[in-house]
Amino acid sequence: MPTRWLVALALVLGTQQCCALRSTYIQSLSASALTRSFSCKPLQLCTTFQMPRACRTVVLAGSEGIAESVAAPGDTNFGEFDWKKHWYPIAFDRFTDKDAPFAFTLLGERLVLWWDPVDSAWSAMRDVCPHRLAPLSEGRVNDKGDIECPYHGWSFEGKTGACTSIPQSSTPEKVSNDKRACGSALHTVLAQGIIWVWAAPIYPGQEEPSHSLIPVCQAFENEGVTTDDVSIDLPYDYTLLLENVMDMSHVPFTHHGTQGNRKFARPIHYKIKDPLKSSGFLIEWSSSIQSLTQSETPPTTANSPDSTTDTQTTDKQTIKPLPPAKTEFHAPSYQYHKLQLPGFTLWIVIYAVPTTPGQCRLLARFPVIRKTPTTDKSALKLNIKRQFQKPVFLQHMMRNQVFEDDNIFLHAQERELALRLGGHLHTDTALPGESTNEKTKPGAWTSSYYLATTSDTPVVLFRRWLDRTAPLPWSPGTPAAKYYDLTWEKERLLDRRKSHLNHCLPCQKAARMLKVGKGVVAGIA
């Protein structure tokens, strides 16, 4: 595999997966390599990077760095944006327990979701019974597929939230027809293996929002696509998550040893392909790589023609472009990186879900599309397939470790940013009795961040977008960010049971098997 493609793989997938693909030309990966520390020896490449020409959309200027010149707030045709009128991803269907309802918080609103075995569909409602305000998520799903309150047994169907049973009433139909007895349901659909919820509640006579508005990933429309998926609840804000995943320049440092390598750090330059709009933005990025390769040379003149001295090697510099890549943000939750390589296309897909101020859920997908025919039995194809056939819990262990690399310092960044913005993580937000001030007005982040290089372009674009759409419509009564505990201990920040295990069915099964195995070993010992 050419050196420039190996470097490109390392930049996007990280050294671990890059080495895994490279090994198809050498030998198969050993199972023990995965179960040790999920690390791989960095590629032995000596590289320096050539600075390409500056993009026309980005220049370094002023005390605010590139923030002054990237997608300035004066851009027109931005369009309207309503946070509630969007489909939000909640969980992966195949990792979610269908035998019991579960609670989830979206935009500060606590919801209950459950699988309706009668209609073979997911349903969602506000997680509160209108009778005495008990949480429906602590109840059960009855034989009709309705959610049943654990307190007094009131039942509700998921399509409209209508009350279907009141055991204590002698005239149940009369009581249940009262709109005060009904719950508040939300449109729910399953698409591309993800459970989606429309953030606005269902009203009588309202048509279901179009499924074409669901931000599905085009990669999964290709035959033969292979992926591994993971979802994680993160201890920092939705806005910080999107900042982080858009920023490819942090990978070599933050994820050194897990999914990156400091040797591959280099400037990244972007071109804005689609202007900043309420629906998001599209940018392309590329660079050139200056590689040191070794070539054989004859013995030096100091050696006789008959000398047995080994052939010497010299370093030769070559400059070759990396394949172009693109990054797209589809507001408010979908973001991906896409890289074309010989034989296959690599995607890094991120869905960011705003749960509460200071916390969010991430759904990540890593699809690989093979361009070779499905009958091709090449080592590369077989190894890509093999990578994604590992047990789900092992895949999730690796992915959790990578995202945990960010947790501690992003939580600290969030705390510092909140302090600098007057206690608010979102611009143009004020608590009751307060007024918007210089710290909370749109663009205030430019006085807190110094985004000095073109590598920060995605962050600037996202912050500009957020300036035009804020504030987030947190449910009434949701505590503001300044009242959230922003001083979590490391143990809490890295608590994988709360962040992942509690909502991942395959990992729960693996944990139970491990517990049983430990008990057996202890009994034998």
Side-chain angles (χ1 to χ4, degrees):
M1 184 180 291
T3 297
R4 64 184 183 277
W5 302 125
L6 289 174
V7 174
L9 279 169
L11 292 173
V12 177
L13 283 181
T15 54
Q16 177 180 341
Q17 288 179 290
C18 180
C19 289
L21 295 178
R22 186 189 188 200
S23 68
T24 58
Y25 296 90
I26 305 173
Q27 61 183 5
S28 297
L29 286 174
S30 65
S32 61
L34 179 68
T35 57
R36 288 197 294 269
S37 60
F38 300 114
S39 62
C40 185
K41 185 178 181 180
L43 297 177
Q44 299 301 311
L45 302 174
C46 181
T47 59
T48 56
F49 290 89
Q50 177 83 1
M51 175 81 76
R53 292 183 180 180
C55 298
R56 60 179 176 81
T57 54
V58 177
V59 293
L60 301 179
S63 61
E64 296 181 355
I66 64 169
E68 293 181 345
S69 55
V70 177
D75 292 349
T76 58
N77 301 320
F78 181 80
E80 298 295 327
F81 186 84
D82 187 336
W83 289 89
K84 291 285 188 176
K85 295 182 179 180
H86 287 276
W87 291 100
Y88 288 88
I90 304 300
F92 289 108
D93 174 70
R94 66 189 179 115
F95 300 150
T96 304
D97 187 357
K98 295 182 178 180
D99 293 333
F102 68 94
F104 184 81
T105 302
L106 176 64
L107 291 170
E109 185 81 74
R110 186 177 168 91
L111 308 177
V112 57
L113 288 90
W114 73 95
W115 176 255
D116 181 349
V118 177
D119 293 337
S120 296
W122 288 97
S123 297
M125 288 179 55
R126 287 189 62 206
D127 189 18
V128 59
C129 179
H131 176 212
R132 299 267 290 278
L133 310 182
L136 296 173
S137 58
E138 295 298 324
R140 70 181 187 100
V141 180
N142 63 25
D143 295 338
K144 297 180 180 180
D146 299 337
I147 188 76
E148 182 182 287
C149 179
Y151 202 3
H152 295 91
W154 287 32
S155 299
F156 308 87
E157 57 93 6
K159 292 185 177 64
T160 63
C163 182
T164 58
S165 176
I166 301 178
Q168 296 79 20
S169 175
S170 57
T171 56
E173 292 185 0
K174 180 178 180 181
V175 177
S176 61
N177 287 333
D178 191 324
K179 64 179 181 179
R180 292 176 299 175
C182 298
S184 180
L186 293 85
H187 294 290
T188 312
V189 68
L190 182 63
Q192 286 195 341
I194 296 177
I195 306 167
W196 301 84
V197 168
W198 186 261
I202 297 174
Y203 294 102
Q206 181 189 57
E207 294 185 2
E208 183 175 6
S210 173
H211 293 181
S212 65
L213 298 176
I214 300 174
V216 295
C217 176
Q218 294 181 352
F220 293 95
E221 298 176 1
N222 293 269
E223 183 178 357
V225 61
T226 312
T227 186
D228 70 287
D229 305 326
V230 68
S231 59
I232 307 173
D233 291 326
L234 297 170
Y236 48 86
D237 196 71
Y238 149 89
T239 57
L240 272 295
L241 170 59
L242 280 173
E243 267 191 18
N244 175 259
V245 296
M246 291 179 186
D247 171 25
M248 292 297 291
S249 65
H250 85 283
V251 174
F253 296 95
T254 303
H255 304 295
H256 178 79
T258 54
Q259 195 146 326
N261 191 310
R262 298 185 188 97
K263 293 182 179 179
F264 299 132
R266 90 289 191 208
I268 304 177
H269 290 263
Y270 295 88
K271 289 184 179 179
I272 301 175
K273 302 301 292 183
D274 289 343
L276 184 64
K277 297 180 180 178
S278 61
S279 58
F281 55 83
L282 172 64
I283 51 181
E284 287 187 353
W285 51 277
S286 62
S287 185
S288 298
I289 182 169
Q290 180 173 316
S291 302
L292 299 180
T293 58
Q294 292 185 331
S295 60
E296 295 184 353
T297 60
T300 61
T301 55
N303 299 322
S304 65
D306 298 328
S307 173
T308 59
T309 304
D310 292 339
T311 301
Q312 298 180 351
T313 59
T314 58
D315 288 336
K316 179 182 178 181
Q317 292 188 355
T318 58
I319 299 177
K320 297 180 179 180
L322 291 175
K326 71 176 183 179
T327 297
E328 182 173 5
F329 170 53
H330 191 295
S333 60
Y334 176 43
Q335 185 270 334
Y336 70 84
H337 302 289
K338 179 182 178 182
L339 181 66
Q340 302 281 355
L341 290 172
F344 53 94
T345 303
L346 306 174
W347 293 66
I348 300 177
V349 177
I350 300 294
Y351 290 103
V353 188
T355 54
T356 61
Q359 299 182 55
C360 64
R361 172 166 289 187
L362 168 142
L363 285 78
R365 318 194 80 172
F366 303 90
V368 175
I369 304 172
R370 298 184 298 273
K371 298 180 182 178
T372 54
T374 55
T375 57
D376 182 6
K377 300 300 182 181
S378 66
L380 177 61
K381 174 190 171 182
L382 291 175
N383 193 63
I384 291 176
K385 184 177 181 180
R386 191 180 300 118
Q387 290 301 307
F388 294 103
Q389 286 182 336
K390 293 185 175 75
V392 170
F393 77 92
L394 287 180
Q395 295 178 13
H396 287 186
M397 285 174 63
M398 180 186 72
R399 297 301 182 188
N400 271 271
Q401 183 180 12
V402 172
F403 285 107
E404 285 168 359
D405 288 341
D406 304 276
N407 279 11
I408 295 175
F409 65 81
L410 280 182
H411 184 72
Q413 175 196 351
E414 178 180 54
R415 178 179 59 200
E416 184 66 25
L417 181 61
L419 291 173
R420 295 190 180 203
L421 295 180
H424 306 281
L425 289 173
H426 312 105
T427 58
D428 202 25
T429 302
L431 296 175
E434 295 182 341
S435 60
T436 301
N437 54 47
E438 291 297 316
K439 289 184 178 182
T440 61
K441 72 177 183 179
W445 53 271
T446 58
S447 62
S448 299
Y449 289 168
Y450 179 50
L451 305 176
T453 71
T454 57
S455 298
D456 292 318
T457 299
V459 176
V460 176
L461 286 170
F462 174 64
R463 282 288 166 181
R464 293 292 190 207
W465 175 85
L466 197 62
D467 284 343
R468 305 287 291 273
T469 58
L472 274 74
W474 300 116
S475 173
T478 301
K482 69 184 301 181
Y483 294 119
Y484 270 71
D485 183 4
L486 297 178
T487 57
W488 288 10
E489 299 293 334
K490 287 186 178 181
E491 291 76 11
R492 187 178 178 188
L493 292 171
L494 302 178
D495 186 349
R496 196 173 294 182
R497 177 173 293 276
K498 291 184 177 179
S499 66
H500 177 74
L501 186 61
N502 285 347
H503 68 262
C504 180
L505 190 60
C507 290
Q508 290 171 8
K509 292 180 178 179
R512 286 195 294 267
M513 291 178 64
L514 179 61
K515 185 176 181 179
V516 171
K518 287 182 177 180
V520 172
V521 172
I524 295 175

